[in-house]
Amino acid sequence: MSGKESFKILNKIFEPKIKKEKEEIKGYTIKYGYIVENDEIIDEVLVTYFKEPKSYTTENMCEINSHGGMIVLRKILEMCLKNGAELAQPGEFTKRAFLNGRIDLLQAESVIDIIEAKSEKEAKAGIKQLKGSLSEKIAEIKQNILDIMVNIEVSIDYPEYDVEDVTNSQILKMLEQVENKLLKLEKSFDNGKIIKEGIKTAILGKPNAGKSSLLNNILKEERAIVTEYEGTTRDTIEEFVTINGIPLKLIDTAGIRQAKDEVEKIGIAKSKEIAKEADLILAIFDSTKELTEEDFEILELMQNKKAIIILNKIDLQPILTEENNKLLRKNKCPIISISAVKDIGIEKLYKEIEKLFNLNEIKLDQDIVITNIRHKNLITKAIENVKKTKETINSGMPIDVIAIFIKDILEDLGKITGETVSEDIINEIFSKFCLGK
């Protein structure tokens, strides 16, 4: 519970073993006792006290730690509500922390990033943002602008005073610095998108080339059905796996061939659509057979995409090899040989993926990485306003017009941290949280 009445409500349902007045209880204190209703003990509990302003929400807070179990928990919750508490809205605790000024909107959003993290790197990026690294960078950029803006405002409001004139060259120099810093943040979203959403990876190949066997090998479980019969996979199978701290969204697709029925036809069309949208294509070929028309169709789907050619079944008698096939080498994609069933060459595949996406270069300890599309869009908008301001200066506009465009940049940056964001956006952000946060 959080809020002015939280201790008052607690006192109605909690009997500590050693009774003390509320004023005597220190913050960050745990007390042992019982939840009681009509002199009947409901559960033996530990209650943690947090006194304002030193709490998550900056309000008085308490946490009741019971033995658990749905019956007991529901009963304690009902007792809290009966004595004046209200159920929290999604994200309400973090929203109160934001509204009460303990954290900014960037830090609040990082809480949900940490909760929903699918990999260590995503969790690490969220924790770094929670600590305020991006907030500090935005504050630094804003300060660069404000240092110049102060003199601009004075020269506009008090032209009669002998204030040092802000020359266009000074403003342009500041805008250049701001633009460079914002461009670096915007560029970091390329890595941030990978960290947050993972690499959308389509596994393509003819029926029985070994797509499902590869998926099962990477996942280390029998996720897809594998048989000697062609066309077993009729629809897509999606799973997440982590490589070098980065999630891969693996999609096993229906085999590419002339469809035998309407269902398979739909599955193959879906495979081709996924190939277009994928960040990475793993094109798997049966190394014991010569290339066919369907194989060339798969090679065509790989054009202008990040892709790896995989020659499977090298534990048998391969005809296709990395060295002897000029047609495969034409694609200029990495070519590796594996046996999905015998677990040969899989580590080499991981290394090729790391190389293609420069995964080893994502160093969260040193760099600030944008992972949130809302932040990225606002940074892009701020960059556009920087460019507009430069155009305004170069076209000889007066200082008061230039000031309007500079204020637009400040507003864009303020929306990132929550200083100038609308209530509707705030409500939308916190609606994505779970009740417990």
Side-chain angles (χ1 to χ4, degrees):
M1 288 189 287
S2 179
K4 272 184 188 174
E5 304 295 310
S6 54
F7 291 163
K8 187 177 173 185
I9 295 165
L10 178 70
N11 289 340
K12 292 177 184 177
I13 65 171
F14 176 59
E15 282 191 8
K17 196 77 173 171
I18 301 170
K19 293 191 178 181
K20 278 187 179 180
E21 292 299 319
K22 185 181 79 173
E23 289 71 26
E24 294 178 71
I25 300 169
K26 294 178 181 177
Y28 303 108
T29 300
I30 296 177
K31 290 188 71 62
Y32 163 71
Y34 304 96
I35 297 294
V36 177
E37 184 179 47
N38 300 326
D39 297 325
E40 181 188 347
I41 293 174
I42 304 300
D43 197 12
E44 177 186 45
V45 297
L46 292 171
V47 174
T48 313
Y49 291 80
F50 302 92
K51 294 184 103 171
E52 62 178 11
K54 295 183 178 180
S55 74
Y56 185 70
T57 60
T58 80
E59 303 167 337
N60 283 332
M61 284 185 72
C62 59
E63 293 180 358
I64 301 169
N65 298 273
S66 76
H67 282 107
M70 287 308 297
I71 300 298
V72 172
L73 287 175
R74 191 177 288 122
K75 181 64 180 174
I76 296 171
L77 178 61
E78 283 172 2
M79 290 170 69
C80 290
L81 297 174
K82 185 179 167 184
N83 284 284
E86 293 178 9
L87 270 181
Q89 295 298 310
E92 189 169 351
F93 288 93
T94 305
K95 186 177 181 180
R96 288 186 181 207
F98 163 64
L99 294 174
N100 293 334
R102 193 182 76 78
I103 55 175
D104 64 24
L105 197 56
L106 272 171
Q107 291 169 299
E109 286 172 287
S110 71
V111 173
I112 198 165
D113 289 341
I114 294 166
I115 293 166
E116 294 181 348
K118 297 177 287 296
S119 69
E120 282 183 35
K121 277 195 172 158
E122 188 181 351
K124 201 170 182 179
I127 290 164
K128 191 167 184 182
Q129 192 167 297
L130 182 60
K131 286 166 71 178
S133 58
L134 181 53
S135 303
E136 286 169 11
K137 178 53 75 174
I138 298 296
E140 177 194 305
I141 295 169
K142 285 181 71 179
Q143 195 57 51
N144 291 154
I145 299 169
L146 290 168
D147 287 343
I148 292 284
M149 199 64 195
V150 168
N151 287 339
I152 292 174
E153 293 284 7
V154 171
S155 64
I156 293 169
D157 294 341
Y158 306 102
E160 69 276 13
Y161 288 100
D162 186 20
V163 179
E164 182 188 352
D165 286 337
V166 182
T167 64
N168 285 352
S169 62
Q170 282 177 296
I171 300 172
L172 284 168
K173 186 180 176 183
M174 174 273 289
L175 291 171
E176 204 66 46
Q177 290 172 346
V178 166
E179 188 174 14
N180 288 337
K181 288 176 183 178
L182 289 173
L183 284 167
K184 189 177 177 183
L185 287 176
E186 184 187 46
K187 183 75 176 69
S188 76
F189 185 72
D190 294 344
N191 286 337
K193 186 172 180 284
I194 290 173
I195 290 169
K196 187 158 189 171
E197 297 176 15
I199 300 166
K200 191 173 182 181
T201 306
I203 305 174
L204 295 185
K206 284 193 308 187
N208 259 17
K211 300 182 303 300
S212 297
S213 295
L214 178 62
L215 177 74
N216 289 341
N217 185 300
I218 293 171
L219 296 175
K220 304 302 177 198
E221 63 174 283
E222 296 297 312
R223 176 65 181 85
I225 298 168
V226 178
T227 72
E228 62 193 86
Y229 304 108
E230 294 186 349
T232 312
T233 305
R234 312 296 288 269
D235 199 357
T236 59
I237 297 172
E238 297 185 11
E239 287 288 345
F240 272 99
V241 68
T242 301
I243 293 178
N244 196 15
I246 300 294
L248 254 67
K249 186 181 182 182
L250 288 172
I251 308 168
D252 181 18
T253 62
I256 307 290
R257 67 168 179 180
Q258 285 297 317
K260 298 286 176 73
D261 56 51
E262 193 60 32
V263 175
E264 190 178 10
K265 189 178 178 182
I266 293 166
I268 291 167
K270 199 170 179 182
S271 299
K272 291 176 181 177
E273 195 59 40
I274 285 165
K276 287 179 191 173
E277 296 169 1
D279 302 313
L280 171 66
I281 291 176
L282 301 181
I284 190 162
F285 300 90
D286 185 341
S287 68
T288 66
K289 296 176 181 175
E290 294 288 355
L291 293 176
T292 63
E293 191 180 323
E294 286 95 347
D295 289 317
F296 291 121
E297 189 179 353
I298 291 161
L299 290 169
E300 194 64 36
L301 289 169
M302 293 162 54
Q303 294 297 320
N304 305 315
K305 303 283 289 185
K306 284 188 176 176
I308 298 172
I309 291 171
I310 300 169
L311 305 179
N312 190 29
K313 306 186 185 180
I314 59 160
D315 55 309
L316 302 176
Q317 291 180 334
I319 297 169
L320 297 175
T321 66
E322 296 171 42
E323 296 79 23
N324 72 3
N325 202 294
K326 290 178 185 175
L327 287 170
L328 289 175
R329 289 205 302 277
K330 264 187 181 179
N331 275 59
K332 296 180 181 175
C333 297
I335 303 174
I336 63 165
S337 299
I338 72 160
S339 168
V341 172
K342 300 287 184 181
D343 197 26
I344 300 167
I346 303 299
E347 283 301 322
K348 193 176 176 186
L349 171 62
Y350 295 162
K351 281 174 185 168
E352 287 297 343
I353 294 170
E354 284 179 21
K355 269 194 239 172
L356 269 179
F357 290 88
N358 300 317
L359 300 187
N360 290 324
E361 291 180 17
I362 302 174
K363 295 182 173 63
L364 293 171
D365 294 333
Q366 300 164 20
D367 302 324
I368 294 169
V369 178
I370 303 291
T371 59
N372 187 307
I373 188 66
R374 186 184 80 86
H375 306 160
K376 190 263 181 184
N377 287 341
L378 285 166
I379 286 165
T380 301
K381 195 176 171 207
I383 292 167
E384 287 167 7
N385 280 323
V386 168
K387 287 174 180 171
K388 283 179 188 173
T389 310
K390 286 159 85 174
E391 287 167 14
T392 307
I393 293 168
N394 293 328
S395 62
M397 288 288 184
I399 195 75
D400 52 343
V401 175
I402 294 166
I404 292 167
F405 283 92
I406 294 174
K407 283 176 183 173
D408 287 342
I409 305 166
L410 286 169
E411 188 172 344
D412 295 332
L413 298 176
K415 283 177 182 175
I416 297 173
T417 53
E419 294 160 86
T420 57
V421 75
S422 71
E423 191 177 340
D424 288 344
I425 297 292
I426 291 168
N427 290 337
E428 186 186 335
I429 288 167
F430 287 103
S431 69
K432 296 171 186 171
F433 280 61
C434 59
L435 290 176
K437 288 289 177 283

